[in-house]
Each structure stands twice: as structure tokens, then as C-alpha cells.
Amino acid sequence: MIIRELHIRNFRTIQKADIIFNEENYLILGKNNDDDGLESNGSGKSNVLDSIYWCFTNKTLKGNIAGNKIIRRGLNKCSVEIVFVYNNILYTLLN
């Protein structure tokens, strides 16, 4: 399986992210815009990976977490869409 695109909306700390993958390696960097003293802590780097896992399994990497804990604070829904290739077939998964 090769992930081609990742679209995240209101998942945990991520308001909106659209990532298009190619054949390169990736490094996820972050900046905490709410507290400059924290630098990249709490910026959502782990939540990118967690969103992929949640989209496929409906669980977070920490286990089953209630819906109100995965939805960005103050909102009522979130979504993660993954476009991937498996056995030369293009699929789209939306959770």
C-alpha cells in the first residue's frame, strides 16, 4: 500500500491539513501557534500519524477514545480522507 494523499479536517489539534505524497521521504515538523514557549510540542505532529491509523481502524493509537476527544475542540465533526494505491488499484477511504 502506498499513500498518495491525506486530507484531515478538525482531527484533534489539526484544523486542516492536505498532504500530497510522492516517492520521497518525509519529515514532519510543527510549530505550536498557541504557546511559543512550547516550540513544536503540541503542534499536531503525532496527530498526523494518528489520523491515518484512525481512518483505517476507527481507533486512535492510544486505543478507543470517545468521539469528543478526537474532534477539534468546539466543533462537532471531523474527517480524514486517505487516497492510496494497493495492488495497482487506487482507493479512497473516508472516515
Side-chain angles (χ1 to χ4, degrees):
M1 178 181 72
I2 300 171
I3 295 177
R4 296 289 186 205
E5 298 178 24
L6 175 62
H7 306 281
I8 305 168
R9 300 290 183 272
N10 303 319
F11 182 86
R12 301 189 62 134
T13 60
I14 301 171
Q15 180 178 8
K16 178 181 177 185
D18 295 299
I19 304 169
I20 308 299
F21 297 97
N22 55 34
E23 301 297 324
E24 314 233 345
N25 294 319
Y26 285 86
L27 171 66
I28 299 173
L29 300 173
K31 181 179 185 312
N32 187 320
N33 292 320
D34 296 328
D35 186 339
D36 290 334
L38 292 177
E39 296 178 4
S40 70
N41 289 339
S43 64
K45 300 178 303 291
S46 297
N47 288 333
V48 171
L49 298 175
D50 206 11
S51 73
I52 294 170
Y53 186 77
W54 178 77
C55 192
F56 279 100
T57 67
N58 211 31
K59 298 177 186 175
T60 67
L61 292 169
K62 294 180 180 178
N64 288 326
I65 295 180
N68 62 344
K69 298 288 186 181
I70 61 165
I71 299 170
R72 189 171 165 82
R73 189 175 305 152
L75 300 171
N76 60 6
K77 66 179 181 175
C78 68
S79 67
V80 176
E81 179 180 356
I82 300 174
V83 178
F84 64 97
V85 175
Y86 182 73
N87 286 340
N88 294 319
I89 300 171
L90 187 68
Y91 294 93
T92 300
L93 179 62
L94 177 63
N95 193 351

